[in-house]
Amino acid sequence: MRRTMVAGNWKMHGTRASVAELINGLRHLALPGGVDIAVFPPCLHITQVVDGLKGKSIQVGAQNSAVEAMQGALTGEISSSQLVDAGCSYVLVGHSERRQMMGERDGTLNRKFAAAQACGLIPVLCIGETLEQRESGKTLEVVSRQLGSIIEELGVGAFAKAVIAYEPVWAIGTGLTATPQQAQDVHAAIRAQLAAENSEVAQGVRLLYGGSVKAANAVELFGMPDIDGGLIGGASLNADEFGAICRAAGN
Ligand code: PEP
């Protein structure tokens, strides 16, 4: 049985003061049992969040990490080992904003994924198609290529200790959400691709849906058989809304 998971990606939002307020809101939430909950603040605020959430069952992750596992001469980057030292449990790999705006390609993402696992961080691999790709019928091809890159490089076993987030790019921050059936179809294809290599890994891996998830649409999305929770952007900046989404995952 897979444990559901709700992850909040704060993106490049927050000041020390607003983060303190958000931590306070999160600390007061009634959270469901049986759901893994994590927040991904900007790197600058990770230690503030780790300290602020002590004793609350919310894990902390980073939004990005270096291609190298260990600290060294790589100006401006942060290694997986440093993230573990700061108290992180997870790291996002290949969020579409980084693929599109920072030019991150599959080869780089394979290295980031491997570096994270080498340090005991759980990578959350983000994959998904653009609107143009969906409209030209290429959704499954794109998602399969992004997933296949890790499988080819690191083997399907790498997904025994990883999470996958399917995030259609056209649904991120747009207010447009994939319908539960659209999301389920892609999740089922992702699981089938993994199952073709190793059915145990395929059955165990959590597949999160991301793209304008809110409390109002979470129950229906999370009710689909291959959707094991969500990666939440904008709505995770509001503690009450985030809490309601976590409770939807607990239903
Ligand atoms: C995200 O950034 O991963 C995301 C899903 O954003 P939003 O929920 O705002 O669409």
Side-chain angles (χ1 to χ4, degrees):
M1 192 61 186
R2 298 182 293 271
R3 272 174 76 85
T4 50
M5 178 172 177
V6 177
N9 173 16
W10 295 0
K11 309 197 191 203
M12 196 174 65
H13 291 290
T15 59
R16 286 184 59 79
S18 71
V19 166
E21 256 179 62
L22 191 44
I23 290 169
N24 189 41
L26 292 171
R27 289 202 67 87
H28 284 90
L29 289 178
L31 294 174
V35 181
D36 289 339
I37 299 168
V39 291
F40 294 69
C43 234
L44 200 56
H45 299 123
I46 282 173
T47 51
Q48 185 185 355
V49 176
V50 168
D51 291 346
L53 290 178
K54 274 213 174 94
K56 188 83 184 167
S57 41
I58 301 179
Q59 304 298 304
V60 179
Q63 298 171 17
N64 179 39
S65 58
V67 292
E68 299 292 342
M70 307 311 288
Q71 54 183 299
L74 203 46
T75 304
E77 289 292 283
I78 296 178
S79 71
S80 296
S81 62
Q82 289 173 308
L83 293 174
V84 170
D85 181 57
C88 287
S89 311
Y90 297 93
V91 62
L92 301 184
V93 176
H95 190 281
S96 64
E97 285 155 14
R98 297 197 60 83
R99 288 182 192 261
Q100 292 197 314
M101 290 184 239
M102 315 305 288
E104 291 194 348
R105 301 204 185 283
D106 290 339
T108 301
L109 299 174
N110 293 346
R111 291 181 65 195
K112 291 187 174 197
F113 190 107
Q117 287 192 325
C119 296
L121 278 180
I122 297 180
V124 179
L125 178 71
C126 303
I127 57 181
E129 81 289 0
T130 62
L131 185 58
E132 195 189 347
Q133 289 164 336
R134 174 162 281 268
E135 286 177 345
S136 54
K138 294 207 170 101
T139 297
L140 296 185
E141 182 187 320
V142 169
V143 165
S144 163
R145 195 194 60 235
Q146 292 169 334
L147 181 64
S149 170
I150 301 279
I151 298 175
E152 271 168 43
E153 187 72 22
L154 306 174
V156 70
F159 287 101
K161 286 193 177 148
V163 174
I164 298 171
Y166 166 59
E167 299 205 301
V169 178
W170 49 271
I172 296 181
T174 59
L176 297 173
T177 315
T179 65
Q181 193 57 54
Q182 280 175 323
Q184 165 60 26
D185 289 347
V186 180
H187 282 227
I190 292 169
R191 210 179 292 287
Q193 184 176 353
L194 294 166
E197 307 274 337
N198 183 320
S199 59
E200 202 180 319
V201 169
Q203 283 315 309
V205 70
R206 268 100 55 97
L207 306 183
L208 312 184
Y209 167 78
S212 300
V213 176
K214 299 174 190 62
N217 57 23
V219 172
E220 255 199 297
L221 284 160
F222 299 165
M224 303 308 279
D226 286 295
I227 300 182
D228 306 311
L231 177 54
I232 320 301
S236 70
L237 294 169
N238 178 313
D240 290 335
E241 182 78 9
F242 187 64
I245 295 170
C246 293
R247 287 190 293 278
N251 284 336

